[in-house]
Amino acid sequence: MGEADSQAGVGGGLAGAPSMRRRAVRGSAWVVASFVYGQGVRLVGNIVLAYLLRDDIGVLGIMVLVNSLNRGLQMASSVGLNLSVVQHEKGEELWFLHTAWTLQVIRGALLFLVCCIVAVPYAAFYGEPVLVALVPFTGLVLVAVAFQSPGLWLAERRVEVWRPIAVDVITQTISLGTMIVWAAISPSVWALAVGIVLSGVVRACASYAIAPASRPRFRLDRGACGSMLRFGGWLLIGTLLTYFATDAPTLAMGRVFTKDDLAVFAVALMLATFSSQCVSKIASMVIFPLFSEVKNRGGDLVGAAGRVLSPLRVMGGAATAAMYASGPMAVTLLWPSEMANAAWMVRLLAMTAMLVVLGDSLKMLLLSLGEARPTVWGHVSKLVALAVLLPAGAWWTTRTMGWGLPGFVAGAALSEAARYLTYSLLSRRYGVRSLVGDGRWMAVMALAAVTGAFAADAAFGAAASSGVGTRVAAFAGGAAGGAAVLALYAVPMLRASRELRGMRG
């Protein structure tokens, strides 16, 4: 969305609802703060577990496969129950809410049964016998989470984002703490598995304390079921495609490369997608409910979208450029030497994060308009790109370098461009012209990223040649890279902060 789009029609969207603007800013602040905390806890936990399990890094790769399967089962059965409650005009009616909760519980029980069924073939496919017991055990988390309070959905609908955020914070902290303590006593894959199952139990219990609602009852209203399934039908297809588009590189790597390589790739992906995950969370927890409210009031949704999302593009670009510049230094500084290959992977994967930010923004706009079907094509295009780029990249670098992993990772990164371009073209029918404006911000981000990387590498080399330790040199390089990016983004970030402050008025 260019500047013209950002300014046009704002009065019809958010200008007439100052409380909505305040909720957008306040909700975004809550999401960012919780995301920083959650990622901080996750980062510390990942580092500590990497050191505790460094004698067998492949354990972390095995858990990547377990988590990917659980996530896939959840997404393969998702009909957008939370989005139905948020979006539907009867979302706060008890008959509608209880039906959604009942469907969620049934879904959780069925998912656990599927875990038990697929455990043996999944273990055979990846050549890991431990998965036979590990998959059903970790599947218990799907049952526990299914019983969480429907009050979390009401909190999302009302943009009371602090409630689900508080549940997330408590769950992450207790779960990760359990993993670390267990791994310190007995370093094995079961330390991670117990933490995962405990996270589901903690989340369910905490949700009733923090987001209470009318006591949920088992109920299946035919009208509510029909409405949810109609709304969620295309979302189900889109969600399933999202899973394959997101996890295809992970699933393929676990089969083609070693579990150690998979563990290293997971670390690089976590760092590289920091900014895109934050913006995606803001989009789902804040932007989508507000867009839905603007649409229901008959406001100018396109104009409102431009006004709300413009600052996110600036912040996302700055974070992406900073990670490209300083991410390799963070790997060298914080992780054990067994994770060294994550340094070059971060830079290959980081540039795709901005495309995720821009693509998800357009996706939320389409969903707010009630258009779930167009979002499917974005994932289809990415899957096609992955099918071509992953094997082509691996083949090319095997031929030229004797090692297929760099080309495989590069193919995973480049595939995101297909999804973004598809969303951009589909959104044009609703009056959104994003390519020119987004292209400008991509160019700014690329310039900042390359400049920051040059500064980081130069500072690292200078410090290392002076005789200081590798970690001290990495710290110097990371600081130099971050400072260079901040210098180039100072003015855009200042303008973005002023725009956010203006939204309070």
Side-chain angles (χ1 to χ4, degrees):
M1 285 162 276
E3 290 181 3
D5 294 311
S6 299
Q7 299 301 324
V10 173
L14 295 179
S19 63
M20 192 182 301
R21 290 198 296 264
R22 285 195 296 269
R23 281 185 290 154
V25 175
R26 185 170 60 246
S28 297
W30 269 103
V31 172
V32 171
S34 71
F35 183 83
V36 171
Y37 173 82
Q39 288 297 99
V41 170
R42 183 184 175 195
L43 176 66
V44 171
N46 192 292
I47 295 170
V48 172
L49 289 171
Y51 279 99
L52 291 174
L53 301 169
R54 66 185 304 175
D55 291 336
D56 188 8
I57 290 295
V59 164
L60 298 174
I62 291 173
M63 286 311 300
V64 170
L65 295 176
V66 171
N67 291 333
S68 180
L69 176 62
N70 284 346
R71 184 166 55 252
L73 291 176
Q74 287 180 301
M75 297 179 76
S77 61
S78 174
V79 289
L81 296 177
N82 63 322
L83 296 181
S84 293
V85 172
V86 171
Q87 189 260 358
H88 199 277
E89 59 182 6
K90 300 294 185 180
E92 298 202 26
E93 299 287 341
L94 289 182
W95 59 270
F96 193 93
L97 198 61
H98 290 169
T99 298
W101 183 82
T102 302
L103 290 174
Q104 178 178 254
V105 172
I106 294 173
R107 172 175 168 253
L110 292 175
L111 289 178
F112 173 71
L113 292 177
V114 173
C115 283
C116 297
I117 294 170
V118 304
V120 173
Y122 196 68
F125 182 78
Y126 286 105
E128 293 291 343
V130 70
L131 291 173
V132 173
L134 204 60
V135 167
F137 179 75
T138 56
L140 291 171
V141 71
L142 304 174
V143 179
V145 170
F147 281 91
Q148 67 185 10
S149 171
L152 290 177
W153 297 333
L154 293 178
E156 289 183 35
R157 179 183 175 91
R158 299 164 183 169
V159 202
E160 297 174 352
V161 296
W162 72 269
R163 296 183 188 274
I165 283 171
V167 174
D168 288 342
V169 167
I170 293 172
T171 301
Q172 286 178 319
T173 304
I174 295 178
S175 173
L176 191 55
T178 301
M179 290 182 187
I180 291 174
V181 171
W182 195 299
I185 298 172
S186 176
S188 71
V189 70
W190 291 102
L192 309 181
V194 170
I196 289 174
V197 175
L198 182 62
S199 71
V201 177
V202 171
R203 180 175 182 82
C205 295
S207 67
Y208 285 94
I210 296 174
S214 175
R215 181 181 176 183
R217 302 176 185 276
F218 289 103
R219 178 174 182 177
L220 288 174
D221 181 89
R222 181 177 298 179
C225 287
S227 174
M228 291 178 203
L229 293 177
R230 282 192 300 272
F231 178 77
W234 281 101
L235 282 179
L236 173 60
I237 298 174
T239 302
L240 183 58
L241 290 171
T242 298
Y243 166 70
F244 285 113
T246 302
D247 282 42
T250 297
L251 296 170
M253 183 174 287
R255 173 71 175 180
V256 178
F257 299 99
T258 69
K259 302 305 182 291
D260 288 10
D261 290 333
L262 180 56
V264 173
F265 177 78
V267 169
L269 189 63
M270 178 188 68
L271 288 174
T273 58
F274 179 92
S275 61
S276 61
Q277 289 180 14
C278 182
V279 174
S280 294
K281 195 163 187 178
I282 291 175
S284 64
M285 297 185 69
V286 179
I287 302 303
F288 176 71
L290 292 181
F291 280 177
S292 297
E293 189 170 339
V294 171
K295 183 205 68 172
N296 291 333
R297 291 184 178 185
D300 180 8
L301 187 57
V302 174
R307 181 69 181 274
V308 171
L309 297 176
S310 179
L312 298 182
R313 293 190 296 183
V314 176
M315 302 301 177
T320 298
M323 185 54 64
Y324 181 90
S326 302
M329 305 301 163
V331 173
T332 303
L333 176 65
L334 299 173
W335 271 271
S337 58
E338 288 81 0
M339 294 290 185
N341 281 332
W344 61 262
M345 290 186 191
V346 166
R347 282 190 174 161
L348 284 178
L349 294 168
M351 297 300 283
T352 192
M354 187 61 173
L355 291 172
V356 175
V357 169
L358 299 174
D360 282 352
S361 300
L362 295 172
K363 177 182 176 181
M364 286 300 112
L365 176 63
L366 291 169
L367 287 175
S368 299
L369 290 165
E371 295 291 341
R373 283 176 289 182
T375 65
V376 170
W377 297 110
H379 302 304
V380 170
S381 64
K382 183 178 179 180
L383 278 172
V384 172
L386 283 170
V388 174
L389 294 174
L390 290 183
W395 173 82
W396 178 255
T397 54
T398 298
R399 182 180 177 183
T400 57
M401 301 170 54
W403 191 26
L405 188 57
F408 185 96
V409 176
L414 289 172
S415 65
E416 188 60 41
R419 189 179 78 109
Y420 163 72
L421 288 173
T422 301
Y423 285 151
S424 181
L425 293 174
L426 289 173
S427 63
R428 291 174 66 88
R429 64 183 293 188
Y430 300 101
V432 179
R433 302 291 187 267
S434 62
L435 279 175
V436 174
D438 289 346
R440 182 173 64 249
W441 283 110
M442 283 291 293
V444 171
M445 184 271 296
L447 175 63
V450 173
T451 303
F454 178 82
D457 293 346
F460 177 82
S465 62
S466 69
V468 301
T470 301
R471 282 189 165 83
V472 175
F475 178 82
V485 170
L486 181 60
L488 290 172
Y489 260 97
V491 174
M493 290 181 69
L494 180 61
R495 290 175 179 170
S497 65
R498 286 175 178 173
E499 186 171 351
L500 283 173
R501 287 198 301 270
M503 289 170 61
R504 293 187 179 98

